[in-house]
Amino acid sequence: MNDIARKAGAEFLATLLFVFAIITAVAEAGQFAPIAIGLALMVLVYATGHISGGHLNPAVSLGAWIRGAMTATEMVTYWVAQALGGVVAALICRAVLPMADEAAQIETGPAFIVEAVFTFILVFVVLNVATAKANDGNSFFGLAIGATVMTGAFAVGPISGGGFNPAVAFGLSVNGNFDWSNLWVYVLAPFVGAALAALAFRVLSPADHEHDLEA
């Protein structure tokens, strides 16, 4: 198996497992769902970080590309794998759980803002704890990333549904947790937040920008 196929396979599998954990936690864990979701992300990032970087999120991959840590071809390959993982996870969930009773009701303006802000926080954390040269070899990156998503789910979940991840949004839309008419919010806002986070990383850590990858 070539390198990009191995990385894409890891992203597909880990995103599938993450979205499966999200849907089942939302259905069964009640107010503790954000904790379960954050822990699921943490362990899956640890499990696949050495293979693919453990992105599990097209917004993270966008941030990694802007930061200079991957090529555009790799980024698009990751996006496809992550989106497929989210959809397959939702289909599996539909075989074992009833679909969501109703989609999250959101106001698009506030939802867009909080999705962009918390994706900014997530991607900024990922780039600093998992890709910064000063933190090379650290053992806390998965915990920091999982805790960020848990915090976001608690803090703004009631406002937006707590997506912060276009692949998750696809899965939750298939399962009925998100309304398809709102999907653009869950795709565009995270990409805006991720792009701004990557630019902030490049400004604050200029020595970390890698120039040797082709766009």
Side-chain angles (χ1 to χ4, degrees):
M1 181 180 292
N2 64 38
D3 191 53
I4 188 61
R6 185 172 61 90
K7 291 178 178 178
E11 287 294 305
F12 168 79
L13 179 59
T15 306
L16 186 159
L17 296 174
F18 180 44
V19 175
F20 181 85
I22 291 172
I23 293 174
T24 51
V26 168
E28 303 294 337
Q31 62 182 344
F32 297 105
I35 299 174
I37 292 167
L39 291 175
L41 180 59
M42 178 189 74
V43 298
L44 290 166
V45 167
Y46 278 127
T48 58
H50 67 292
I51 302 173
S52 65
H55 294 185
L56 285 63
N57 184 339
V60 170
S61 299
L62 175 64
W65 173 67
I66 294 173
R67 176 247 193 275
M70 67 191 312
T71 67
T73 300
E74 289 174 326
M75 177 184 68
V76 173
T77 302
Y78 274 37
W79 283 358
V80 173
Q82 293 155 353
L84 287 174
V87 170
V88 172
L91 295 176
I92 294 172
C93 287
R94 289 178 63 173
V96 298
L97 290 170
M99 285 185 63
D101 293 332
E102 61 177 350
Q105 302 298 306
I106 65 170
E107 293 184 37
T108 55
F112 190 99
I113 292 170
V114 299
E115 286 287 311
V117 169
F118 261 94
T119 306
F120 178 100
I121 298 171
L122 172 62
V123 174
F124 190 68
V125 168
V126 170
L127 294 179
N128 278 284
V129 302
T131 76
K133 294 172 184 175
N135 282 326
D136 188 36
N138 77 72
S139 60
F140 59 81
F141 64 97
L143 177 59
I145 295 166
T148 303
V149 168
M150 180 185 70
T151 301
F154 273 126
V156 300
I159 299 173
S160 69
F164 324 132
N165 183 332
V168 167
F170 275 112
L172 294 183
S173 296
V174 170
N175 194 60
N177 301 89
F178 288 171
D179 193 312
W180 284 104
S181 66
N182 293 324
L183 183 61
W184 69 273
V185 173
Y186 298 109
V187 174
L188 182 59
F191 279 158
V192 169
L196 293 174
L199 293 174
F201 177 85
R202 289 183 58 171
V203 169
L204 296 174
S205 303
D208 269 289
H209 181 55
E210 298 166 18
H211 299 280
D212 56 344
L213 289 176
E214 297 181 0

